[in-house]
Amino acid sequence: MTQEQVIQWIHSTELFGSVLGLSSIRELLRRLGNPQKKLQIIHVAGTNGKGSVCTMLASVLTAQGYRTGLYTSPYIEEFRERICIDNEMISPSALAECGQLVKQACDEMRADGLSHPTEFELVTAIGLLYFEREKCDFVVLEVGLGGRLDATNVIDPPLLSVITMIDFDHVARLGNTLGEIAYEKCGIMKEGSRAVSAPNQPPEAEQVIRETASRLNIPLSFAASPSRISASFQKTEFVWNDGTYAVPLLGEYQACNAATALEAMGKLQKIGVAISKEAIVKGLSMVRHKARMELIRPNLMIDGGHNLSGITALCDFIRQRKENRKIIIVAGMLEDKDHRACGALLRQTADVLIATQTDSPRRLEAETFAQDTQADFCKQDPIEAVQFALQLAKPKDLIVACGSFTLAGPIRSEFLIK
């Protein structure tokens, strides 16, 4: 199989849906020789900040000289972004080779009368197989959905479990309260391991995190809150535990993500993983994270935040730096998100609001979003919507395209100044 055939095969399995549970991925990996059992894994779950924390951890470990695998989702522009080693995407030939092996195992399962693994299970298996074949020293593994029944939770007790900020999202599948959602996220915590949490968790979520660690008898620490945060359009600086740090990511919330990553690194140091202060500073300075308040042109920002807390963080950042500029927002969301509350906040923030839509099957139609938000304009095609915004904008104005990663990806590909 070629890379293109592997990706086409993976996407063709969407008809099997997204199934929470571990029996299928466990059987698939067994037939592949259980590559996950040969890896040292840092497992990361949470509602907000998972991707940023994973990227920071991987960047620091790479800066220290470790061969570091990073598994994240979703991808923004290219499928291979999801599986990286030392900031390099899996090569087309390696994706084809690992994909072929996973397909063979999958075909054997089907021949034996077993259920077909889901798309996410297939990608997870490819990633774990690739990391094992490439002899990674460490793997930073991001949960896809929830934690307890997520395919990534097929692993044995990891070196470290990390719980980022917990908030409402995917309530139909994870629960209607923060306690219920936290229970699912904390499913990655395992006896014989240790855990770290983001600072300032909601009390209901914090209680569940503490109770889970106590029940499993594992060491747990909560990151201290960062202080003296300074966020510009270039970087975010902050003080944490008497040290000053900076990340080239925008938004005050990135300081909390960095604090979580720093707490995790401290925990790794305590169990014998060598990580120098120099590697931490260098690794954080090298972090790159697409579509998280990312300026792809001097006057064009994209952001994949898709729930109320993500949209709130974006709008707070924009409002605090509005100065004398006009804010033009191009927004499109998925139908299963809290689009009415998010849309109302975007409407309050924007001087000009342009409603658009993604190409996702779960999209909210542009006309519906425009009506709900009383948008100034409606453009179904997101590329046309941004082009229209660029025509409206004066040089000092700021255009923000947001609402979904499926929206941010095509816009980044089209408008990024390289």
Side-chain angles (χ1 to χ4, degrees):
M1 297 176 76
T2 65
Q3 171 195 236
E4 290 74 20
Q5 288 171 326
V6 167
I7 294 174
Q8 184 178 14
W9 168 65
I10 290 171
H11 289 330
S12 73
T13 62
E14 286 182 356
L15 61 93
F16 298 106
S18 176
V19 179
L20 292 176
L22 302 178
S23 59
S24 183
I25 183 68
R26 188 173 284 127
E27 176 61 22
L28 178 58
L29 289 172
R30 185 190 69 79
R31 293 173 185 248
L32 292 166
N34 283 318
Q36 78 282 5
K37 292 183 177 293
K38 304 164 191 173
L39 298 169
Q40 296 195 89
I41 294 173
I42 298 115
H43 204 186
V44 182
T47 307
N48 297 314
K50 293 195 305 290
S52 295
V53 170
C54 284
T55 304
M56 292 175 192
L57 287 168
S59 185
V60 169
L61 290 169
T62 295
Q64 182 65 43
Y66 296 115
R67 189 159 177 75
T68 307
L70 174 62
Y71 180 74
T72 58
S73 60
Y75 68 89
I76 306 302
E77 295 177 283
E78 187 173 351
F79 178 87
R80 294 187 297 123
E81 295 170 19
R82 298 180 63 174
I83 302 168
C84 296
I85 294 178
D86 294 342
N87 300 319
E88 295 290 334
M89 294 186 292
I90 183 173
S91 68
S93 59
L95 177 57
E97 184 177 352
C98 291
Q100 178 71 54
L101 292 171
V102 171
K103 186 176 187 303
Q104 289 172 356
C106 187
D107 290 343
E108 292 171 5
M109 289 176 63
R110 294 281 287 183
D112 291 341
L114 300 175
S115 299
H116 195 296
T118 65
E119 179 180 8
F120 186 74
E121 289 169 337
L122 298 177
V123 182
T124 301
I126 290 172
L128 292 170
L129 181 62
Y130 174 63
F131 296 142
E132 186 272 327
R133 288 164 68 92
E134 290 294 317
K135 295 180 170 54
C136 286
D137 298 308
F138 298 100
V139 171
V140 181
L141 193 65
E142 180 186 359
V143 165
L145 176 64
R148 183 174 64 92
L149 299 176
D150 184 77
T152 62
N153 207 28
V154 70
I155 64 172
D156 291 334
L159 276 181
L160 179 65
S161 298
V162 181
I163 308 296
T164 67
M165 187 58 65
I166 290 175
D167 207 335
F168 291 102
D169 204 6
H170 301 290
V171 292
R173 308 189 71 174
L174 302 181
N176 294 307
T177 69
L178 290 177
E180 290 172 336
I181 294 170
Y183 171 76
E184 295 297 332
K185 306 291 185 184
C186 289
I188 69 167
M189 296 163 64
K190 296 183 175 70
E191 190 173 359
S193 183
R194 54 205 61 80
V196 162
S197 170
N200 306 319
Q201 291 281 12
E204 189 179 353
E206 180 177 335
Q207 180 180 349
V208 174
I209 296 169
R210 291 188 182 279
E211 288 175 351
T212 303
S214 176
R215 174 170 50 83
L216 296 172
N217 193 30
I218 63 174
L220 166 69
S221 61
F222 285 77
S225 298
S227 62
R228 289 165 49 191
I229 302 171
S230 172
S232 68
F233 279 104
Q234 286 74 43
K235 61 184 176 180
T236 301
E237 293 182 301
F238 61 96
V239 174
W240 187 80
N241 279 5
D242 299 324
T244 300
Y245 301 90
V247 289
L249 303 175
L250 311 188
E252 285 85 349
Y253 70 97
Q254 291 293 3
C256 288
N257 289 335
T260 306
L262 287 164
E263 182 69 20
M265 286 179 258
K267 188 75 78 173
L268 292 173
Q269 289 170 325
K270 287 180 180 178
I271 60 172
V273 179
I275 306 174
S276 68
K277 178 68 177 293
E278 291 75 19
I280 291 173
V281 172
K282 180 181 178 182
L284 290 180
S285 73
M286 295 170 58
V287 170
R288 299 292 180 268
H289 207 190
K290 293 180 180 180
R292 275 73 170 184
M293 291 196 203
E294 181 187 17
L295 278 173
I296 59 173
R297 293 190 174 194
N299 67 336
L300 176 56
M301 175 186 286
I302 58 172
D303 186 68
H306 50 268
N307 57 25
L308 186 56
S309 57
I311 296 294
T312 299
L314 172 65
C315 290
D316 286 346
F317 181 85
I318 294 168
R319 282 197 298 262
Q320 290 168 12
R321 289 154 190 84
K322 181 174 181 178
E323 297 174 350
N324 295 319
R325 74 182 94 219
K326 182 183 292 184
I327 305 298
I328 302 173
I329 295 181
V330 177
M333 298 194 67
L334 301 180
E335 193 172 28
D336 55 0
K337 300 299 179 182
D338 191 1
H339 53 81
R340 288 185 176 85
C342 292
L345 192 54
L346 291 169
R347 174 69 279 182
Q348 293 170 14
T349 305
D351 295 298
V352 178
L353 179 61
I354 304 170
T356 189
Q357 63 191 42
T358 80
D359 62 359
S360 169
R362 294 155 51 208
R363 68 177 175 266
L364 178 68
E365 298 296 329
E367 291 84 358
T368 303
F369 195 40
Q371 185 174 359
D372 288 347
T373 59
Q374 297 182 320
D376 300 290
F377 301 97
C378 180
K379 302 282 184 182
Q380 286 189 350
D381 185 280
I383 304 302
E384 290 182 8
V386 173
Q387 288 171 337
F388 180 66
L390 288 167
Q391 293 169 4
L392 289 178
K394 295 179 180 178
K396 68 176 183 179
D397 294 339
L398 177 66
I399 301 165
V400 181
C402 63
S404 170
F405 287 116
T406 58
L407 183 80
I411 291 172
R412 190 182 196 277
S413 298
E414 181 70 23
F415 294 102
L416 176 68
I417 296 179
K418 299 178 181 179

